[in-house]
C-alpha cells in the first residue's frame, strides 16, 4: 500500500505564488469562493516534491476525476 505524503505548507505557498494564485487549468483567481485544491501532477500520492504539486480550483479537480 502506498503511503500518501502531504505537501508541506511552504511548498504550497511557493506554487500558489508561482501560479499567481490562479487555477493552473482554467485560470480562475482563488478567493474565499474559489479555494485552491492541491493535487499530484503525476498522480503518485507518495511523491510530495514541489515539482509534483499542482494547484487547481475545485471544479477542475472534479472534472479531472471524471475524465
Ligand atoms: Zn480551474
Amino acid at each position: 500500500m502506498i503511503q500518501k505524503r502531504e505537501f508541506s505548507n511552504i511548498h504550497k505557498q511557493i506554487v500558489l505564488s508561482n501560479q499567481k494564485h490562479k487555477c493552473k487549468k482554467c485560470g480562475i483567481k482563488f478567493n474565499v469562493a474559489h479555494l485552491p485544491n492541491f493535487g499530484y501532477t503525476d498522480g503518485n500520492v507518495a511523491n510530495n516534491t514541489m515539482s509534483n504539486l499542482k494547484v487547481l480550483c475545485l471544479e477542475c479537480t472534479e472534472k479531472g476525476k471524471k475524465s
Side-chain angles (χ1 to χ4, degrees):
M1 191 182 158
I2 296 165
Q3 178 92 43
K4 184 174 180 177
R5 293 199 180 95
E6 298 293 338
F7 294 107
S8 67
N9 283 331
I10 187 74
H11 284 174
K12 287 178 179 177
Q13 291 308 315
I14 292 168
V15 173
L16 262 178
S17 177
N18 285 346
Q19 290 185 203
K20 298 182 165 50
H21 296 264
K22 288 175 180 174
C23 172
K24 192 167 189 171
K25 206 166 186 178
C26 71
I28 202 167
K29 184 109 168 123
F30 297 125
N31 55 36
V32 287
H34 299 282
L35 294 172
N37 198 57
F38 298 92
Y40 300 79
T41 303
D42 68 0
N44 178 4
V45 296
N47 180 4
N48 67 343
T49 56
M50 203 169 73
S51 62
N52 196 34
L53 173 59
K54 64 176 176 183
V55 195
L56 297 176
C57 68
L58 283 176
E59 279 158 49
C60 288
T61 303
E62 287 303 313
K63 279 177 200 165
K65 280 176 188 167
K66 280 169 197 165
S67 61

